[in-house]
Amino acid sequence: MIDPGSLVDLNRRHTLFTWTAQAGLHPPLVVSAERCHYTTATGQRVLDLASGVFNANAGLHHPAIAEAIAEQARTLCVAAPYMATEIRGRTGQALAAITPRGLDRFLFTLGGADAVEHAIKIARLVTGRSKIVARRRSYHGATLGALAATGDERRDPFEPWLSSIVRLEDPYCYRCPWDTSPDRCARPCADHIEETIEREGPSSIAAVIVEAIPGTNGAFVPPREWMPRLREVCDRHEILLIADEVLTGFGRTGRWFATEHTGVTPDLLALGKAITSGHAPLGAVAVSERVARHFDQHPLVTGMTHTAHPIALAAALANVLVLQSEGLVTRAAALENTLLTRLRAMQARHAIVGEARCVGLYGVLELVKNNASREPFVPQGGDAASAAPIKQIAARLQGRGVHVSTRWNFLFVAPPLCIEEHDLHAGLDAIDEELGRSL
C-alpha cells in the first residue's frame, strides 16, 4: 500500500489542480465520505459546510445514488447522443416534474459552465440576435463562453472575449451602486434594466442572463421587484431570460430553484452541480415551449460526445428521487431560520462581520475591516497576500475538522441539505470562535 504522502505526491506529479498555483500546494488526501463528512488519510473526520463545491446537496456520498450508478453501469454504460435510452427519457420526465412550469424540455450537457454556454447559443439561434446582457457581479463558469458572460475578474486573464456582452449594475443592497438603502430606495436598480436595454437597442439583444441569487460574488438577494421587472422588460422586447441556477438549484435555497422565490419563470434554466449531488458530471439546459418549438424546423447545431451519458443520467434521476423521498428541499427551508439566526448573532457579536445573509441552507458572512465604511476584509480581486487573512480563518477551521468555502471577503455556509441540526450548530460554533480570534 502506498503511504499517504506518496499518494499526494503522485497527484501533484501527474495532475493539475484548478484555481491555484501548483507550487507549495498541499491538498488533503480524502479517502471516504458519508452524508456531511469526509475522512482524510490521517483519519480526520471533517464536517463539510461547503457541500463539496456547493454541489453535494443530497450528501457527499449517498448509497442510493451510488447504487443507481452501479446498476446503470451493469446495464448500459455508453450511448451516442443521437440515441434514445430508457434513462434519458426517465430523467427528463423526473426533471420536468420539479422545474418551473413550462420548462420541461432538456438539453443535457457535461456540467454547469457548458450549460450556460449552450443556453447562450440557443438564445442566439432562436432570436437571431447577438447581444447578451449580464450582471457585473456574476460568475457563470470557467469555459470561455461562460467566462465571457461573467462579470468578475476571473475573466481577466482571457480577454478579449466574445463580442456583444453588455453589463448591468447589481441589485446589491449592502453595496448599492446608487448609494441608497432599502428603507429609502426608489429601486433605481430596476429602472436601470430598461435604461441599459434601451441604450443598447432592444432588437439587438438575444438574452439577459442572471443568477437569481449570486454564487461566490456574495449570495445577495435582489429587491423583490427586481426579477419581475426584468421579466416584464424582456417580454416587452422579446428578449429571452436565462436563469443560471447551477449553484442555487436542487433545493439549496429551500425551493427547488431560487427563481421560485421571485415568482418569475425564465425562458431557459441552466443547471449543473447538484443535479447529481456531485456524484457524476452533468449539466442541463431546461427550455420553454417557445424555445423548444424553434428547433422543430431548425437544427440544434450544437452537441458533445457525452451528451445524455447514461451513467450521469442515472445519478441525476436517483438524486431527484432522494431529494424528494427524504424531503431535503423542505428541510433546507426549515433550517433557514436556524442558520440565519446564528449568522446574524455573529454579525452582532463580531465587528469583522459587515452583513449576514441566508436563504435556505445558503448562507454567507460578508467580512469587513470597518463596519462604517464597509471596506472589505479582503478586496475583491486581491492577490494571494491580501486574501491570506480569510484563508487563515478557513485553515484554522479545517484544523478543527470544519471545512468552509471562502472567496474574497465572503465566508459561505452551505452544508449538504441532509445535515443534522447538532452538526450545523457545531460547525457554526467553530466559525463563531474563529471569528473572535481573527480580530
Side-chain angles (χ1 to χ4, degrees), residues 414-425:
L417 310 188
C418 59
I419 191 168
E420 298 292 344
E421 193 164 350
H422 66 85
D423 281 331
L424 180 60
H425 280 295

Side-chain angles (χ1 to χ4, degrees), residues 110-422:
L110 307 184
D114 65 310
V116 168
E117 294 221 11
H118 281 87
I120 291 171
K121 290 165 73 175
I122 288 169
R124 287 177 165 175
L125 288 171
V126 170
T127 64
R129 302 171 180 178
S130 62
K131 289 182 182 177
I132 302 296
V133 178
R135 290 208 304 232
R136 196 168 300 283
R137 290 177 185 263
S138 60
Y139 179 71
H140 295 293
T143 54
L144 284 177
L147 272 175
T150 289
D152 73 43
E153 74 286 343
R154 279 171 280 190
R155 74 184 191 278
D156 291 349
F158 306 100
E159 298 278 12
W161 290 109
L162 296 176
S163 60
S164 303
I165 302 295
V166 178
R167 299 289 175 203
L168 282 175
E169 294 297 339
D170 300 286
Y172 187 2
C173 295
Y174 184 68
R175 299 190 180 278
C176 177
W178 292 271
D179 194 28
T180 185
S181 59
D183 59 323
R184 59 182 177 85
C185 180
R187 303 298 187 261
C189 56
D191 295 336
H192 175 63
I193 297 168
E194 183 128 40
E195 292 166 2
T196 301
I197 286 174
E198 289 288 354
R199 183 172 62 248
E200 291 296 328
S203 63
S204 68
I205 298 172
V208 178
I209 181 169
V210 295
E211 300 160 282
I213 301 173
T216 52
N217 277 276
F220 55 86
V221 180
R224 64 181 182 276
E225 302 95 340
W226 197 87
M227 281 291 284
R229 179 70 176 277
L230 175 60
R231 176 75 275 181
E232 184 272 324
V233 172
C234 286
D235 286 344
R236 182 151 33 88
H237 296 296
E238 299 184 325
I239 296 168
L240 296 175
L241 177 57
I242 304 170
D244 178 349
E245 293 256 20
V246 172
L247 191 150
T248 52
F250 298 93
R252 172 56 55 195
T253 68
R255 301 283 185 91
W256 279 102
F257 302 97
T259 50
E260 294 176 40
H261 294 283
T262 71
V264 167
T265 300
D267 301 291
L268 302 98
L269 195 66
L271 307 173
K273 287 190 183 290
I275 192 171
T276 66
S277 281
H279 286 57
L282 186 69
V285 184
V287 303
S288 66
E289 180 62 26
R290 172 199 169 188
V291 172
R293 195 164 53 241
H294 175 85
F295 297 107
D296 288 344
Q297 304 301 325
H298 300 84
L300 179 55
V301 287
T302 190
M304 299 152 294
T305 299
H306 297 296
T307 294
H309 193 279
I311 290 177
L313 292 178
L317 176 57
N319 178 61
V320 171
L321 296 176
V322 165
L323 292 172
Q324 290 173 323
S325 65
E326 297 185 9
L328 296 183
V329 180
T330 302
R331 181 169 181 73
L335 285 174
E336 177 183 312
N337 187 61
T338 299
L339 178 54
L340 182 58
T341 298
R342 290 294 310 271
L343 294 179
R344 284 182 173 168
M346 293 182 210
Q347 179 183 344
R349 187 157 41 249
H350 304 295
I352 192 176
V353 181
E355 186 173 63
R357 301 185 284 270
C358 178
V359 184
L361 280 176
Y362 185 32
V364 66
L365 297 172
E366 180 159 353
L367 306 184
V368 295
K369 290 182 178 179
N370 184 296
N371 250 306
S373 68
R374 301 184 180 182
E375 179 185 355
F377 190 65
V378 175
Q380 184 163 331
D383 58 18
S386 65
I390 195 168
K391 295 299 182 185
Q392 289 169 3
I393 295 172
R396 293 200 304 263
L397 286 166
Q398 186 77 28
R400 298 178 59 161
V402 177
H403 174 66
V404 296
S405 178
T406 63
R407 181 73 182 173
W408 303 307
N409 63 316
F410 303 120
L411 188 155
F412 296 92
V413 181
L417 310 188
C418 59
I419 191 168
E420 298 292 344
E421 193 164 350
H422 66 85

Side-chain angles (χ1 to χ4, degrees), residues 85-100 103-108 250 257 271 275 282-287 308-310 312-314 316-318 320 324:
T85 63
E86 178 184 357
I87 193 62
R88 184 173 185 162
R90 291 177 60 210
T91 304
Q93 182 183 45
L95 289 173
I98 62 170
T99 46
L103 300 178
D104 60 359
R105 299 280 291 278
F106 303 91
L107 171 65
F108 291 113
F250 298 93
F257 302 97
L271 307 173
I275 192 171
L282 186 69
V285 184
V287 303
H309 193 279
L313 292 178
L317 176 57
V320 171
Q324 290 173 323

